[in-house]
């Protein structure tokens, strides 16, 4: 088990040495709470379940945990439909449980990052209920975006805008008005022009900061502010407009006024609270979110969207290190999260596709699922091998790395979820054309046997396939060849790489082999091809698959000393 570092002690120590703040090169482990561990046997993961696994988290050697939403929610969008920003879903526990979790993680040297969802609330939020009850022209409706419809009797939506999850972005309420929802119908967009909305999120940030939370992940950070002056544009007009900071709907310059205010909140704490933006914006505009004046860091989803390909990986790294220089922040690397097909599976499929947001394989996933049960086109072993190579590549990069629960087990996407058990609104809104994101949200296998593979004592809210047994923590724990052991070892060794944020490319002599050196002198070499690559110098520190004498096999990364 990793050495136990008390957080306060660790922080004092960092301050003494004037080390850069932890988040610049930290490893953040994403927990999707409803699918992590279920302590109260209701089939849904909970806060006490996470506390019970605190030793496991410590054993990974991570710097922080990011919790996807655990707030009260009707679960129309996996908890991203928040009914109360300052409470815990009673099915997941209480605020006292949350405090226990913060203590359990802090005492193990692990920081806590929570998810803030400011673009929309749940339709179960007190504000939205009030807006419905209060009727048109009320102050309560001002907190959201209500408009009159068009056509005879206003029976048609105000515009033809399409929601991210498919279908109209407008929904009609009983008195005939329409409200905007860029995501699910149950997720009404907030009106960020309305001062009370702004003030309330500041209260929320303080609420969690006061409870000891170290940082925030900001959901759809690029969509809060909107220019809804009449006449409203059509969807085609929206699509054609440049995304230059003045677009009516996305990535508006004025969203940074919101974040400047949040920055003052973050900096009023010691140490300052951190934030990372989920912002799907043009590359050139990422530094606006990552700058010190705004949220301070922004997700870079480029690796997650790249194929397992040397040229693409190199370009992604180069571009993002340049962007990090431009913002003064560090880069963030992500291969998997709760919104995309797990990378072990992506890399095992023949032709990665792209959905409308650029995320891999939703559509392709459709064909692959339709091909029935256990997918005949998925090469599970090759995907797993490449995923390990990609992870070891990522963990050698300067900047922070995000790990999504289960990837440390080499877990694959679950294809075989019957329509009747699916939960993701994208599945229903697309009438099944898009299989959505349930396949990466299936509860973790902790044991290779038992009713829900050790997730809990009473089943699991999404069905786990038989093959989960092969990826169980109990099976991988202590196995020197397991993916779990690889992650633990890599995270331990990575501490030696975290001295400076530089990287120097080394000519590998091959198009399908990437090679770079870090300031401590270590090299990372990844063979994206099939042909073995001779290692002419250096001693292997760790490899994602066994080396073949002095040869680096295909689909393998090695770190050399
Ligand atoms: C983000 C989340 C996603 C959610 C959406 C709407 O993209 O990662 O899971 O559905 O925002 O809140």
């Amino acid at each position: 088990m990793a050495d136990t570092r008390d957080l306060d002690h660790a922080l004092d120590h960092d301050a003494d040495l004037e080390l850069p703040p932890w988040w610049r090169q930290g490893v953040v482990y994403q927990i999707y709470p409803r699918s992590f561990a279920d302590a109260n046997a209701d089939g849904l993961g909970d806060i006490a379940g996470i506390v019970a696994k605190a030793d496991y988290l410590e054993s990974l050697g991570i710097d922080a945990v990011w919790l996807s939403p655990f707030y009260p929610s009707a679960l129309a969008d996996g908890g991203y439909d928040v009914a109360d920003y300052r409470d815990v879903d009673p099915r997941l526990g209480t605020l006292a449980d949350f405090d226990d979790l913060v203590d359990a993680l802090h005492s193990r040297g692990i920081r806590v990052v929570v998810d803030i969802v400011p673009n929309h609330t749940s339709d179960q939020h007190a504000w939205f209920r009030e807006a419905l009850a209060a009727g048109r022209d009320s102050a309560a409706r001002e907190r959201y975006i209500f408009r009159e419809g068009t056509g005879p009797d206003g029976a048609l939506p105000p515009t033809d805008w399409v929601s991210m999850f498919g279908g109209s972005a407008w929904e009609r309420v009983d008195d005939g008005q329409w409200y905007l929802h860029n995501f699910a119908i149950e997720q009404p967009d907030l009106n960020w022009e309305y001062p009370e909305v702004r003030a309330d999120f500041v209260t929320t940030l303080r609420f969690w900061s006061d409870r000891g939370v170290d940082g925030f992940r900001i959901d759809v950070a690029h969509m809060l502010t909107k220019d809804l002056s009449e006449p409203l544009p059509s969807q085609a007009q929206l699509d054609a407009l440049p995304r230059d900071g003045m677009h009516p709907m996305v990535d508006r310059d004025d969203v940074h006024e919101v974040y400047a205010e949040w920055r003052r909140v973050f900096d009023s704490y010691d140490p300052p609270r951190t934030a990372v933006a989920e912002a799907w914006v043009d590359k050139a505009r990422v530094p606006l979110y990552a700058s010190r004046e705004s949220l301070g860091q922004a997700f870079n989803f480029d690796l997650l969207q790249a194929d397992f390909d040397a040229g693409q990986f190199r370009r992604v790294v180069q571009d993002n290190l340049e962007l990090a220089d431009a913002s003064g922040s560090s880069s963030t690397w992500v291969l998997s999260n709760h919104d995309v097909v797990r990378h072990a599976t992506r890399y095992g499929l023949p032709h990665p596709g792209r959905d409308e947001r650029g995320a891999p394989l939703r559509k392709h996933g459709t064909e692959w699922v339709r091909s029935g049960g256990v997918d005949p086109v998925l090469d599970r072993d090759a995907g797993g091998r490449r995923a390990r190579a990609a992870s070891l590549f990522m963990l050698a990069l300067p900047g922070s790395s995000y790990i999504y629960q289960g990837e440390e087990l080499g877990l694959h996407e679950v294809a075989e979820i019957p329509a009747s058990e699916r939960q993701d609104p994208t599945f229903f809104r697309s009438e099944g054309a898009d299989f959505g994101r349930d396949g990466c949200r299936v509860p973790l296998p902790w044991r290779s046997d038992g009713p829900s593979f050790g997730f809990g004592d009473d089943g699991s809210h999404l069905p786990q396939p038989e093959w989960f047994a092969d990826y169980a923590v109990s099976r991988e724990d202590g196995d020197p060849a397991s993916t779990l052991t690889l992650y633990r070892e890599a995270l331990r060794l990575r501490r030696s790489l975290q001295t400076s944020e530089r990287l120097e490319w080394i000519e590998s002599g091959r198009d399908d082999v990437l090679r770079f050196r870090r300031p401590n002198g270590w090299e990372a070499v990844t063979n994206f091809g099939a042909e073995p690559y001779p290692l002419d110098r250096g001693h292997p520190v760790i490899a994602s698959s066994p080396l073949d004498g002095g040869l680096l096999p295909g689909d393998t990364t090695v770190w050399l000393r």
Side-chain angles (χ1 to χ4, degrees):
M1 190 168 300
D3 54 332
T4 307
R5 293 174 303 136
D6 178 77
L7 186 71
D8 294 333
H9 175 75
L11 291 172
D12 288 348
H13 181 72
D14 290 0
D16 287 350
L17 295 177
E18 291 189 18
L19 291 177
W22 68 271
W23 55 266
R24 293 197 68 96
Q25 298 217 67
V27 174
V28 183
Y29 182 87
Q30 181 190 356
I31 290 184
Y32 187 76
R34 292 174 175 87
S35 297
F36 188 68
D38 174 20
N40 69 352
D42 64 354
L44 217 51
D46 43 41
I47 303 287
I50 305 173
V51 174
K53 300 296 183 193
D55 286 342
Y56 174 78
L57 294 169
E58 183 184 10
S59 79
L60 294 175
I62 52 176
D63 298 286
V65 155
W66 149 32
L67 300 166
S68 277
F70 49 82
Y71 314 111
S73 169
L75 297 183
D77 180 22
Y80 284 87
D81 47 323
V82 179
D84 182 348
Y85 291 87
R86 301 193 282 271
D87 205 350
V88 174
D89 185 334
R91 290 166 295 185
L92 271 63
T94 61
L95 283 168
D97 293 332
F98 181 84
D99 294 341
D100 288 347
L101 175 61
V102 172
D103 287 345
L105 294 179
H106 279 179
S107 68
R108 289 168 174 81
I110 300 172
R111 274 90 172 172
V112 181
V113 173
V114 301
D115 220 310
I116 297 292
V117 188
N119 180 68
H120 41 263
T121 69
S122 157
D123 62 354
Q124 303 301 308
H125 191 286
W127 277 358
F128 195 72
R129 291 167 181 261
E130 204 184 317
L132 293 188
R136 29 163 68 73
D137 301 327
S138 59
R141 287 210 175 169
E142 284 292 301
R143 298 185 186 120
Y144 295 91
I145 300 166
F146 279 88
R147 291 286 183 280
E148 300 302 334
T150 54
D153 306 329
L156 295 172
T159 67
D160 64 346
W161 296 349
V162 178
S163 97
M164 300 286 175
F165 292 157
S168 173
W170 297 96
E171 182 71 7
R172 200 171 197 196
V173 301
D174 286 349
D175 61 26
Q177 270 202 318
W178 297 75
Y179 68 87
L180 179 69
H181 61 89
N182 269 300
F183 293 86
I185 293 170
E186 299 86 349
Q187 290 168 303
D189 278 45
L190 283 166
N191 173 14
W192 275 86
E193 297 299 307
Y194 198 64
E196 193 192 353
V197 169
R198 295 195 182 210
D200 194 71
F201 274 87
V202 166
T203 304
T204 294
L205 295 173
R206 288 201 176 280
F207 178 85
W208 294 109
S209 297
D210 291 341
R211 295 195 105 88
V213 158
D214 303 278
F216 301 93
R217 178 263 188 193
I218 311 303
D219 191 68
V220 284
H222 57 303
M223 289 184 65
L224 277 48
T225 55
K226 291 157 186 116
D227 174 6
L228 297 173
S229 37
E230 307 279 344
L232 295 173
S234 66
Q235 183 68 50
Q237 286 169 327
L238 275 186
D239 293 344
L241 284 168
R243 299 195 166 196
D244 57 358
M246 299 301 287
H247 190 279
M249 194 64 79
V250 290
D251 189 23
R252 294 177 53 75
D253 286 337
D254 55 16
V255 77
H256 297 288
E257 291 163 18
V258 173
Y259 300 140
E261 185 181 5
W262 290 14
R263 168 57 51 196
R264 287 192 289 279
V265 176
F266 301 147
D267 287 354
S268 70
Y269 289 87
D270 181 23
R273 300 322 192 219
T274 69
V276 58
E278 186 214 21
W280 296 86
V281 300
D282 292 347
K283 261 193 196 28
R285 294 185 54 85
V286 172
L288 292 172
Y289 295 82
S291 78
R292 183 72 185 83
E293 294 69 42
S294 187
L295 292 172
Q297 215 182 18
F299 276 120
N300 137 33
F301 294 117
D302 295 351
L303 267 192
L304 165 156
Q305 297 181 77
D307 301 331
F308 184 74
D309 173 87
Q312 291 185 39
F313 268 50
R314 177 164 177 158
R315 222 169 11 258
V316 163
V317 171
Q318 202 52 43
D319 287 355
N320 283 286
L321 291 181
E322 282 163 19
L323 288 175
D325 275 349
S327 69
S329 188
S330 57
S331 197
T332 54
W333 309 103
V334 191
L335 288 165
S336 281
N337 65 26
H338 66 296
D339 287 332
V340 299
V341 172
R342 286 182 176 278
H343 65 290
T345 302
R346 293 200 312 264
Y347 299 152
L349 287 163
H351 305 293
R354 297 276 177 265
D355 75 359
E356 64 288 348
R357 286 207 311 189
L361 273 174
R362 299 259 187 87
K363 285 282 184 289
H364 202 84
T366 308
E367 287 155 30
W368 145 66
V369 173
R370 284 213 176 115
S371 59
V374 180
D375 159 38
V377 295
L378 172 66
D379 184 338
R380 220 176 264 279
D381 290 344
R385 208 165 50 240
R386 291 173 191 147
R388 290 158 55 100
S391 298
L392 202 56
F393 174 93
M394 169 177 85
L395 292 171
L397 294 172
S400 63
S401 284
Y402 281 75
I403 296 175
Y404 176 54
Q405 68 177 41
E407 75 168 75
E408 78 279 18
L409 304 172
L411 211 58
H412 276 276
E413 187 84 357
V414 179
E416 51 275 53
I417 304 174
S420 59
E421 300 204 46
R422 290 203 173 259
Q423 300 175 4
D424 189 352
T426 56
F427 176 73
F428 301 103
R429 300 273 291 169
S430 69
E431 292 172 357
D434 182 337
F435 269 73
R437 304 161 295 180
D438 295 318
C440 63
R441 300 175 177 184
V442 175
L444 290 190
W446 293 93
R447 287 197 319 261
S448 49
D449 54 13
S452 59
F453 298 106
F455 167 65
D457 288 334
D458 190 30
S460 104
H461 68 102
L462 281 167
Q464 300 158 304
E466 282 307 311
W467 53 262
F468 256 36
D470 300 339
Y471 297 85
V473 173
S474 63
R475 193 161 289 184
E476 297 198 16
D477 193 17
D479 172 357
S482 73
T483 303
L484 179 56
T485 301
L486 176 76
Y487 269 72
R488 283 176 172 154
E489 195 57 12
L491 291 189
R492 190 181 65 76
L493 290 163
R494 181 184 149 89
R495 304 223 172 255
S496 325
L497 296 173
Q498 287 168 322
T499 49
S500 140
E501 289 174 30
R502 279 177 302 113
L503 163 158
E504 181 197 341
W505 294 107
I506 298 168
E507 202 34 69
S508 74
R510 261 182 42 190
D511 286 349
D512 56 359
V513 175
L514 291 186
R515 189 161 188 163
F516 62 82
R517 188 185 291 122
R518 293 298 308 277
N520 70 343
W522 291 14
E523 283 182 25
V525 191
T526 303
N527 185 353
F528 290 82
E531 195 64 30
Y533 176 78
L535 297 168
D536 48 3
R537 60 167 186 271
H539 299 286
V541 181
I542 186 171
S544 62
S545 292
L547 300 181
D548 179 8
L551 294 176
L552 179 66
D555 298 338
T556 305
T557 295
V558 66
W559 294 0
L560 301 171
R561 184 167 19 214

